[in-house]
Amino acid sequence: MFKVAVIGASGLLGRALVGELALQTGWQVVATAFSRPGPNTVALDIRDAQAVEQFVEREAPDALVIAAAERRPDVCERDPALARALNVDAVRTLAAAAKRRGAWTLSISTDYVFDGAHPPYQHDSEPAPLNAYGRSKLEGERALAETTDLACVLRLPLLFGPIVSWAESAVTSLVPAIAASASLNGEAAVMDAWAIRYPTFTPDVAFVIRQMLERHAHGQAVRGIVQWSGDEPMTKYEIALRLAEALQLDAQLTPQHTPTDATPRPHNCHLASSRLEALGIGRRTPFDTAIRQVLARFPWRGDAGDKPA
C-alpha cells in the first residue's frame, strides 16, 4: 500500500489531485482541509506545528503533497505575516515531519518567483519576485530545501479547473463581468491585455503529480525544482474572449494595455517544463477543450449568481 497525504485537499488543485489519486489501485489517500473540511477529509491547520507533527506521525504517509497556501497576491501584500505562516513556516514544519518519517515531500510553488522580464524561465533561472506573494513562495522553496533533501518543488502558473465558485480561479472569476457586459443594458468590461499568462488545467497538473508520485513509489524520487505549464500564452482579455465564445455570449470587452493592479504583477513568467518532459512526465489539455469541461460542470445562468445552475 502506497500512502499519500494531500495537504489542502479542498482547494482548486487539491480536489483535482485527490480525484486523480483515488483512481490508483493499491494507493491510499489521506486528505486534509482547513477552511472547507468535508466528510472525507481530516481537519488540519498547517500553522499549528504540534497538530502537523501529530498528523504525520499518526498517518505515516509515504509521500506528502503541500497544496495549501495563501495564493492571493493582494492578501499577501496586506498581511505578510499570514503569507509567511502559510507559505514558509508551514512548509518547513510539514517537511520536517515528513523527513522524520522518511516521506517524500512535494511543495507547490508559483511562476511569481520571477519578475517576468526575461521568459521563458528554466527551473534553475535566478528568481526575482516582484510582490509579497512571490517572495513568500520563494522563501517557502528555500525552507523546503533547507529542511529535507527528499523533496521537490513544483512551480505552476495560473491554474483553472473544476470550481465551487466563479471566484476560485482567476480564469473563471472573469465570467460574471463577461456575462454582465453581454446583458441588455450592460457596460463594456475592461480586461487586462498587458500581462501574459499560461492557463494550466488542474486535472493535467494532478496527472503530472501522480506521475511524479509513481516515480517515488518505484524508488526514483524527483528532487530539487521542476516546473509545469500550459503552452498557450494569453492575456486576461484574450481569456475573456474565449470564455465569451464558450458561453455563447455577445460580450462587450475592452482591452486595457497598461497594468492597473495595485499589487505589482510580472509581465510574462512563462515556465519551461523541460525537466519533467525529459522524464516522460506531462499532459496538456487544450484550453478551449478544458474550459468547456469546466463550464459544463458549473454552467452560467444570468440569474444564478455564483451558484451552479
Side-chain angles (χ1 to χ4, degrees):
M1 181 66 71
F2 183 66
K3 190 171 188 179
V4 182
V6 177
I7 310 300
S10 65
L12 185 71
L13 177 58
R15 293 195 308 275
L17 181 57
V18 169
E20 175 71 30
L21 300 185
L23 302 175
Q24 306 311 304
T25 303
W27 287 29
Q28 183 180 354
V29 181
V30 183
T32 82
F34 174 63
S35 59
R36 291 180 294 203
N40 298 315
T41 58
V42 176
L44 180 67
D45 183 348
I46 59 174
R47 297 168 295 183
D48 184 337
Q50 185 176 6
V52 167
E53 289 163 11
Q54 290 173 346
F55 167 79
V56 175
E57 188 67 26
R58 180 179 72 249
E59 298 295 342
D62 299 293
L64 190 146
V65 180
I66 307 173
E70 179 48 70
R71 60 178 181 80
R72 295 165 294 179
D74 295 340
V75 172
C76 291
E77 292 291 330
R78 290 196 305 269
D79 194 347
L82 174 65
R84 181 172 186 85
L86 288 170
N87 296 349
V88 186
D89 299 339
V91 171
R92 195 186 305 275
T93 301
L94 286 157
K99 183 181 181 182
R100 285 191 287 274
R101 295 292 322 175
W104 180 68
T105 303
L106 178 65
S107 184
I108 304 302
S109 190
T110 175
D111 57 345
Y112 274 30
V113 300
F114 298 113
D115 62 11
H118 303 287
Y121 291 94
Q122 306 296 326
H123 67 278
D124 55 357
S125 296
E126 188 66 29
L130 293 180
N131 56 37
Y133 170 59
R135 288 191 292 273
S136 71
K137 294 299 285 184
L138 179 59
E139 285 187 59
E141 292 183 9
R142 291 170 175 165
L144 182 74
E146 291 164 2
T147 305
T148 176
D149 61 354
L150 185 56
C152 187
V153 166
L154 172 60
R155 291 180 184 143
L156 301 169
L158 172 67
L159 296 180
F160 74 102
I163 51 172
V164 296
S165 73
W166 294 118
E168 195 175 21
S169 162
V171 170
T172 52
S173 69
L174 305 179
V175 168
I178 293 167
S181 80
S183 64
L184 190 60
N185 298 310
E187 296 183 4
V190 178
M191 296 286 172
D192 186 316
W194 175 78
I196 298 169
R197 315 298 293 274
Y198 288 79
T200 301
F201 194 37
T202 51
D204 289 345
V205 177
F207 184 86
V208 165
I209 294 173
R210 192 255 292 166
Q211 289 181 302
M212 295 176 72
L213 287 163
E214 284 174 341
R215 288 188 69 90
H216 171 53
H218 293 124
Q220 301 171 320
V222 181
R223 303 174 190 236
I225 296 172
V226 296
Q227 302 178 154
W228 187 254
S229 174
D231 59 1
E232 298 173 76
M234 57 188 90
T235 64
K236 280 194 175 181
Y237 173 69
E238 290 165 332
I239 291 170
L241 289 174
R242 292 166 82 159
L243 279 166
E245 182 182 352
L247 291 162
Q248 298 182 309
L249 291 173
D250 186 16
Q252 302 177 70
L253 304 173
T254 301
Q256 168 60 254
H257 294 288
T258 54
T260 58
D261 289 305
T263 301
R265 283 162 167 79
H267 175 58
N268 181 352
C269 285
H270 186 207
L271 298 173
S273 308
S274 48
R275 193 174 169 219
L276 287 176
E277 288 168 341
L279 296 172
I281 290 174
R283 186 183 78 186
R284 291 184 178 94
T285 304
F287 178 82
D288 290 333
T289 301
I291 199 63
R292 280 167 169 77
Q293 290 180 23
V294 173
L295 296 171
R297 293 174 63 170
F298 199 91
W300 172 260
R301 234 181 34 204
D303 62 345
D306 207 29
K307 302 293 183 185

